[in-house]
Amino acid sequence: MTGRYSDQDVEHYDRPRRHTRPRTKERPTYDDAVDGVVVTVDRGRFTLLVDDHVVLAMKARPLGRKGVVVGDRVRVVGDTSGQDGSLARIVEVVERTTVLRRTADDDDPVERVIVANADQLVVVTALADPDPQPRLIDRALVAAYDARMQPLLCLTKSDLADPETLLVTYRSLGVPWVVTRRGGDLAELRDRLRGRTSVLIGSSGVGKSTLVNALVPDAGRDVGHVNAVTGRGRHTSTSAYLLELPGGAGWIVDTPGIRSFGLAHVQPEHLIEAFPDLDEMTEDCPRGCTHGTDEPECGLDEAVRNGTADPVRVESFRRLLAARSEPAY
Ligand SMILES: Nc1nc2c(ncn2[C@@H]2O[C@H](COP(=O)(O)OP(=O)(O)OP(=O)(O)O)[C@@H](O)[C@H]2O)c(=O)[nH]1
Ligand SMILES: [Mg+2]
Ligand SMILES: [Zn+2]
């Protein structure tokens, strides 16, 4: 241990004291703790922003196995100078406003929280190179609705292919979308990001880090090429990273490319809540109705029959509902 991080400090904050009263009442109050936000995590070390400087920190023992993830607002004690060799300690994680999670699947055997406290999920899809994967888009949208995050579809590489074919599928869901191209104007995307904390998610090679570098001039995110034969990216980014947009215009999280999106944690009843116009038509559904295609007396079918619901929209909703229980590929 180096720098001003002293053993005495550890003693004071981390040792449970041997007394008879419940431990919770014994917890120090950390009056001297300062606020920070987690920008990235690497092998048990957390990079934080405290005020405007970067601080390296570890978890203090009272946090136990509690996860600390990118986007978490934390309270920190110890050496928060950020000087070389300094190490601060995270003593508290502030209650999260949102949690974007993926359930364990073949691609990733561990259930994880990807990012905390984000309010927008930007589903990044290349129009070509690599080709769009509609099932992955659907699954990411389900995760966004479940986490009560606003979805945004970002279609990159429009210099290589036309967005229209893909947009037909998503217009009826009412998902907002932007189209970007190499060297193109990002004004519309900037507008959508302003004042929010947005997470970029998508397959490897779709251009997430390229976007981040264009939006945040000194981001310096590594960019990889797409293999011309397999059409796959190289998984260039290996950990999530939170960056502030210039001029305090919001926050953005670059994440590593995903192959799939485990959704076993999603409750179907959360999904319909993201579609208030359809939700309204399910009031007379039998108890336990999932509003799926195979439900015998679903209010959505009645609404389509009597013309109050747009059949294409109902179909799109049901496609997402089904995506939840399809095997992740
Ligand atoms: N033609 C074209 N190529 C692009 C565009 N955006 C990004 N690329 C290229 O796509 C490749 C992959 O870009 P990255 O930004 O590394 O992709 P990523 O989504 O961050 O990939 P991972 O970090 O592996 O998940 C690079 O060669 C980029 O130059 C675009 O709009 N048009
Ligand atoms: Mg990347
Ligand atoms: Zn129903």
Side-chain angles (χ1 to χ4, degrees):
M1 269 166 227
T2 50
R4 292 201 276 136
Y5 177 70
S6 70
D7 283 334
Q8 199 185 353
D9 223 354
V10 173
E11 192 93 4
H12 180 67
Y13 287 105
D14 294 345
R15 271 298 145 74
R17 278 165 273 172
R18 281 184 223 100
H19 283 303
T20 47
R21 273 182 290 146
R23 257 186 75 191
T24 42
K25 288 194 184 155
E26 296 264 320
R27 293 241 171 102
T29 51
Y30 304 119
D31 287 338
D32 53 346
V34 296
D35 293 328
V37 58
V38 179
V39 298
T40 195
V41 182
D42 183 22
R43 282 162 288 172
R45 288 284 187 267
F46 302 86
T47 304
L48 315 177
L49 261 185
V50 174
D51 295 326
D52 267 342
H53 65 277
V54 176
V55 171
L56 199 64
M58 59 183 270
K59 259 192 325 189
R61 209 178 300 147
L63 288 182
R65 294 170 61 86
K66 187 177 169 60
V68 179
V69 302
V70 171
D72 263 326
R73 313 249 148 217
V74 294
R75 303 269 297 153
V76 230
V77 299
D79 186 350
T80 57
S81 67
Q83 281 161 7
D84 267 4
S86 67
L87 188 63
R89 273 166 309 115
I90 301 171
V91 291
E92 192 187 333
V93 179
V94 179
E95 197 184 336
R96 297 166 176 163
T97 56
T98 64
V99 170
L100 177 65
R101 67 173 87 241
R102 55 181 290 180
T103 319
D105 61 21
D106 293 347
D107 180 36
D108 185 344
V110 184
E111 156 141 8
R112 335 181 165 266
V113 172
I114 305 172
V115 173
N117 301 319
D119 49 19
Q120 182 163 251
L121 185 68
V122 185
V123 183
V124 186
T125 304
L127 290 160
D129 197 18
D131 283 340
Q133 295 173 278
R135 281 183 63 194
L136 189 57
I137 302 173
D138 285 353
R139 294 178 68 88
L141 290 176
V142 172
Y145 291 126
D146 183 68
R148 298 195 163 82
M149 292 166 71
Q150 165 79 45
L152 174 66
L153 199 54
C154 180
L155 308 178
T156 62
K157 312 198 188 187
S158 68
D159 49 310
L160 302 181
D162 185 86
E164 195 44 42
T165 334
L166 201 62
L167 281 174
V168 180
T169 315
Y170 292 95
R171 276 206 187 91
S172 57
L173 278 175
V175 181
W177 47 271
V178 292
V179 177
T180 64
R181 63 194 309 154
R182 196 198 285 285
D185 180 16
L186 291 176
E188 207 183 334
L189 179 59
R190 279 202 183 86
D191 273 350
R192 292 274 181 192
L193 300 177
R194 188 161 298 123
R196 297 170 163 273
T197 299
S198 306
V199 184
L200 302 185
I201 209 134
S203 314
S204 177
V206 295
K208 300 177 294 296
S209 300
T210 302
L211 284 175
V212 167
N213 285 339
L215 292 164
V216 185
D218 53 358
R221 296 293 287 164
D222 284 343
V223 164
H225 64 263
V226 175
N227 186 305
V229 179
T230 62
R232 295 216 180 108
R234 298 163 51 97
H235 290 272
T236 306
S237 307
T238 52
S239 51
Y241 207 101
L242 173 76
L243 294 121
E244 188 167 20
L245 295 167
W251 295 82
I252 194 159
V253 182
D254 189 13
T255 69
I258 52 167
R259 294 182 186 85
S260 62
F261 209 125
L263 290 176
H265 61 283
V266 172
Q267 308 282 311
E269 51 278 23
H270 280 183
L271 199 58
I272 190 96
E273 286 167 18
F275 300 85
D277 58 319
L278 299 183
D279 196 13
E280 209 172 72
M281 295 160 186
T282 64
E283 270 163 21
D284 297 328
C285 281
R287 187 185 263 273
C289 181
T290 62
H291 321 305
T293 320
D294 50 358
E295 291 288 352
E297 290 170 76
C298 182
L300 293 181
D301 293 312
E302 175 56 25
V304 167
R305 268 193 301 273
N306 67 26
T308 42
D310 170 5
V312 180
R313 186 162 163 79
V314 169
E315 204 183 299
S316 296
F317 163 74
R318 285 178 164 170
R319 191 186 73 231
L320 288 195
L321 192 70
R324 186 194 69 98
S325 42
E326 274 166 9
Y329 55 97

